[in-house]
Structures are given as C-alpha cells and as structure tokens.
C-alpha cells in the first residue's frame, strides 16, 4: 500500500470515528428530548387515548373501579359499567390498569374535555337521580344532587337533610346508568 492509499485509509477511518461519535451524541440528545417531551404528558392525555377501552382505576378511598372509559376531561373521567356510571376526579386516581400506551395532546382534545368536574355534577343534579358520593377518606353520602357550587356539590340525603361535599374530598360519584 503506497502512502496515498494509507492517507486515504486514515481519512476514511477518521470519518468513520467522527460519524460514530456524532451518532452517539445524537442518540443521547434524542433520548433527552424524548424524556423532556414525555415529562409534559398528563394522566388525562394518556386516558384520552383510551376512550372506549376497558380499564381499571384504583381510586383513593374507593378501591378498584373497572369499566369502559366513556369520557375524559382535564379534571375527571367517566367510566361506564353495567348498572352504574362512575365520575372520577383524576386527582383521586392512584393507578390505572389497561390504558393505551399512547397519549393525546391537549390541543387535540374535543371542546367538552375542557369542562370541569362541576359541569359533570350539574348534569347529575339536572337529572335528579340518586347518587353515591364516595369520599377520599372512605366515607360516602347517598344523596340526590340539587345544586353545584364553584367547589362543592349540594344534595338531599335520605333523611331529607342538605349535605355539602367539597370537590377536593370527592373520590368518585356513582350513579345509575342512563
């Protein structure tokens, strides 16, 4: 091999080393970017991609609630199961089993997904049907919702007394299926 061939072989080797270093740096950078992007994914975003799927929620103060995920909003979700619908504030969800591996970014959510927990509870109050409000501490209230304030739901209990339940205390609201 003459000096010119050795020189070109050395240049080829250096180019290959530089390409390998670039690929290694690029892979690390892409990994960092992927982690940073995923850090912005919310539970609601993951659940949004699971609408119409069967899944199980471990709800603080209630236990496991399994059913078909019907609707997701930024603050709550609606599970449907035979005999009952469950409105569950996402803040009360401890774990989810069966969710899709994908996520839907908030900009792609339908407009109704921006409605708060109060909107869902107002619908129940309008229906006038009895519900069970499960609290995060394990307590529960059987009542017919009558009004919904900014941060509480009001209803009439079985003995006719008014009961106010603050939203932060609500783990789930169980209603009859419609």
């Amino acid at each position: 091999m003459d000096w010119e061939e050795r020189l070109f072989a050395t240049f080829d080797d250096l180019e290959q080393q530089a390409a390998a270093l670039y690929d290694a740096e690029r892979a690390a950078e892409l990994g960092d970017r992927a982690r940073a992007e995923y850090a912005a994914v919310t539970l609601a975003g993951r659940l949004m991609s699971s609408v119409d799927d069967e899944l199980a929620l471990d709800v603080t103060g209630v236990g496991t609630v399994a059913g078909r995920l019907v609707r997701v909003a930024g603050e709550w979700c609606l599970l449907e199961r035979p005999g009952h619908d469950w409105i569950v504030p996402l803040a009360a969800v401890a774990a989810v089993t069966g969710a899709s591996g994908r996520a839907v970014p908030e900009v792609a959510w339908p407009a109704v997904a921006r409605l708060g927990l109060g909107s869902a509870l107002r619908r129940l109050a309008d229906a006038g049907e009895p519900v069970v409000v499960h609290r995060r501490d394990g307590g529960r209230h059987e009542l017919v919702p009558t009004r919904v304030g900014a941060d509480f739901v009001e209803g009439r209990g079985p003995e006719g007394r008014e009961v106010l339940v603050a939203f932060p205390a609500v783990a789930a609201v169980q209603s009859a299926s419609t």
Side-chain angles (χ1 to χ4, degrees), residues 6-16:
R6 285 195 308 267
L7 181 64
F8 283 121
T10 301
F11 286 151
D12 286 344
D13 185 49
L14 289 173
E15 283 181 15
Q16 289 175 0

Side-chain angles (χ1 to χ4, degrees), residues 20-21 24 27 29 37 42 44 51 81 86 91 93 102 122 126 128 140 143 147 155 160 166 172-173:
L21 285 173
E29 180 183 338
E37 288 293 321
T42 64
V51 170
R81 56 185 284 176
W86 290 79
V93 175
R102 300 175 37 173
R122 278 183 199 89
D126 291 344
R140 53 187 268 162
L143 53 85
R147 298 188 294 186
V173 178

Side-chain angles (χ1 to χ4, degrees), residues 69-147:
L69 184 63
V70 177
R71 177 163 291 151
V72 178
E75 297 178 7
W76 58 277
C77 66
L78 174 64
L79 273 179
E80 184 180 78
R81 56 185 284 176
H84 299 285
D85 290 339
W86 290 79
I87 295 173
V88 181
L90 296 183
V93 175
V96 178
T97 304
S100 167
R102 300 175 37 173
V104 177
E106 193 169 339
V107 297
W109 293 1
V112 294
R114 292 172 187 20
L115 297 175
L117 178 61
S119 295
L121 296 177
R122 278 183 199 89
R123 188 169 195 166
L124 290 176
D126 291 344
E129 297 292 324
V131 301
V132 179
V133 178
H134 297 268
R135 294 192 329 242
R136 291 185 196 188
D137 65 3
R140 53 187 268 162
H141 299 279
E142 294 181 21
L143 53 85
V144 176
T146 54
R147 298 188 294 186

